[in-house]
Each structure stands twice: as C-alpha cells, then as structure tokens.
C-alpha cells in the first residue's frame, strides 16, 4: 500500500518508536516521516528518517507545527511516563484535526511470587521506602533528585547519563543501560546488598530483568503506576501500529502543503 503525499510526525523516545521509524522508512519510502526527540539524551540513535530535536513549546506550538508542516498523522510513541508530551499530542491533535495514534507497550503485571507494592507517584515511592533501606532506584534522571532527601537510606542509581545534581555522598552511580540478563541484574542487587527495588511500570522487555532478579531474590519492588492519559486510539506493538497507520491514512486524502 502506498501512503504517498502524507506526512507522519512520530514522537519518539522508546525502542518501539525507533523500530516503527525503521519499518516506515523501509516499507513506505514515498511517505514523509519526521521523527521527533525531546533531546534529553545526547547520543541519539539514527531512526532512518529525518529527525527534529527538542520540545515544540507546548500544545499550542505543537498544533501550529501540525498545521504548518501539513502533518496528516501524529503517532505518539513516547515513553508511558512521558505524560506531558502525550497530553500535548492529544490536545494538538484535537485542535488541528490531525488523527492521533498512541503506541504504548503493555504494563508489567505482578506474578504470583512477586512482592510488589504499587504506588501512584514518584513522591509516594520516596515515602514508601523504610528507613535503612538499601534501594536500587531504577527511575529517570529527572526523578532521581526527589529521593535525595532520604539521607536515611542507601541508593544505587543506574543511568545512561549522570544526573545533573550529584548523588548524596554515600550513594553509588552506575553509568550503563539496563541489562536484559537476569543473572547480571541479580549480581548487581546481591553485590550492593539491595533490600528494595524501585521502578516505574515501564513495560517491555528491555528493562524487565531487574524485576525477574528481584523475584528470584524475594525482594520487595515498589512499582510506580503509569500516569493517566486522555483516551485515544492505542496500539501495543509496532505491527499493530503499522496496520493502524495504513487504515487511518488510507481513509483520508493527503493534506495540501
Ligand atoms: P514529558 O514530561 O512528557 O515531556 C516534557 C517536555 O519535553 C514536553 O512537554 C515536550 O516539550 C518535550 N518532549 C518530550 N518528548 C518529546 C518528543 N518526543 N519530541 C519533542 N519534544 C518532546 O516527558 P520527559 O520529560 O521526556 O520524560 C518524563 C518521564 O518519561 C521520565 O521519567 C523519563 O525518564 C521518561 N522517558 C521519557 C521518554 C520520552 O519519550 N520523552 C523516553 C524515555 C523515558 P514541549 O512542551 O516544549 O513540546
């Protein structure tokens, strides 16, 4: 099927977004695709389509972008915790009359032997840790600082790039990506004497090994639930996204530039 004459704006930030960009570049070379990144990570992967980097400047500015760039379809494939850009995408899609598809990987679910404590926010996760805990804090660079006030705990932080504000002196920073090998995650938890794991419910396989490792070690996991987002047509994997993109774009005529 040809989607010629269309312009897809793909909001990136996940592994699935990069896969989707690659599929669109390969299967729909006649379609204009723009991959948009927040710019939080300096070392951006090449998605195989033209890229723009940085915020739009809020929902109104994103609406203007959709109009000026004759975007025929907005695909929100950002992280499940990137709530602001997802809300902006919904608002801009409504205002500009541009269809929106959200690509959101399913949330993790606790298994029978998991010891999970679900919490509604990062702040609640901070409060849920008992004094003296040795916590593996698997949260983003922006959120980690909320834990700094807990000087009564030890924190092990893993990040791709160092947090802007240095960690408390007795905490440790490991600069690497999450491992998909349970054995490696298990060793990390054992070597640092970890008693609690804190994680966002990001879903997907890329960072699930730490949950498996905690399960093996019978460690409690404080799981931060996903933010609520405005309802829109949502798919859970790249295959479904490609099918939905074909359906949506083939049901409308291309916008004039
Ligand atoms: P956010 O709070 O939803 O976004 C903040 C602002 O960044 C947005 O309002 C937007 O700025 C800009 N932005 C975000 N994603 C963008 C994109 N793909 N293209 C253009 N601009 C974008 O999300 P966040 O600050 O990026 O992250 C919040 C949480 O999600 C953190 O826990 C982070 O670790 C996690 N996360 C996010 C992503 C992601 O896809 N963004 C990826 C991995 C992890 P304007 O309002 O100026 O347009």
């Amino acid at each position: 099927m040809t989607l010629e004459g269309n312009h897809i704006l793909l909001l990136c930030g996940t592994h699935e977004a990069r896969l989707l960009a690659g599929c669109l570049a390969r299967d729909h070379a006649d379609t204009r695709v723009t991959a948009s990144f927040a710019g939080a990570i300096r070392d951006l992967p090449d998605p195989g389509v033209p890229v723009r980097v940085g915020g739009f400047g809020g929902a109104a500015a994103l609406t203007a972008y959709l109009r000026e760039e004759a975007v025929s379809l907005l695909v929100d494939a950002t992280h499940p915790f990137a709530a602001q850009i997802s809300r902006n995408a919904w608002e801009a899609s409504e205002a500009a009359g541009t269809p929106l598809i959200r690509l959101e990987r399913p949330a993790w679910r606790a298994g029978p032997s998991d010891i999970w404590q679900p919490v509604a926010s990062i702040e609640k996760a901070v409060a849920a840790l008992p004094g003296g805990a040795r916590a593996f804090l698997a949260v983003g660079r922006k959120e980690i600082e909320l834990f700094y006030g807990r000087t009564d705990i030890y924190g092990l932080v893993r990040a791709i790039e160092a947090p802007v504000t240095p960690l408390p002196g007795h905490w440790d920073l490991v600069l690497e990506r999450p491992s998909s090998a349970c054995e490696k995650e298990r060793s990390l938890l054992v070597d640092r004497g970890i008693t609690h794991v804190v994680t966002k419910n990001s879903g997907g396989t890329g960072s699930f090994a730490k949950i498996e490792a905690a399960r093996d070690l019978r460690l409690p996991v404080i799981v931060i639930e996903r933010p609520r987002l405005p309802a829109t047509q949502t798919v859970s994997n790249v295959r479904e996204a490609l099918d939905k993109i074909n359906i949506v774009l083939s049901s409308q005529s291309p916008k004039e530039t």
Side-chain angles (χ1 to χ4, degrees), residues 10-14 36-38 40 52 54-59 62 77-86 88 139-143 200:
L10 175 59
L11 301 175
C12 297
T14 56
S36 175
F37 291 86
R52 67 163 299 288
F56 294 89
L62 178 54
T78 57
H79 192 272
F81 281 79
Q84 189 57 57
I85 188 69
S86 290
N88 290 354
V139 299
R141 268 199 322 156
K142 288 184 183 170
E143 295 115 352
K200 292 181 283 192

Side-chain angles (χ1 to χ4, degrees), residues 142-162:
K142 288 184 183 170
E143 295 115 352
I144 195 62
E145 293 183 22
L146 292 172
F147 290 85
Y148 287 4
R150 289 297 307 266
T151 50
D152 59 329
I153 67 164
Y154 163 81
L156 172 63
V157 177
R158 178 174 57 199
I160 301 165
E161 290 175 14

Side-chain angles (χ1 to χ4, degrees), residues 86-120:
S86 290
R87 291 189 182 113
N88 290 354
W90 182 86
E91 209 177 308
S93 117
E94 292 283 302
T98 308
L100 170 66
I101 297 171
R102 186 178 299 140
L103 167 54
E104 185 177 279
R105 52 172 99 120
W108 294 320
R109 290 179 186 280
S113 53
D114 284 319
I115 309 165
W116 280 20
Q117 181 179 352
V119 292

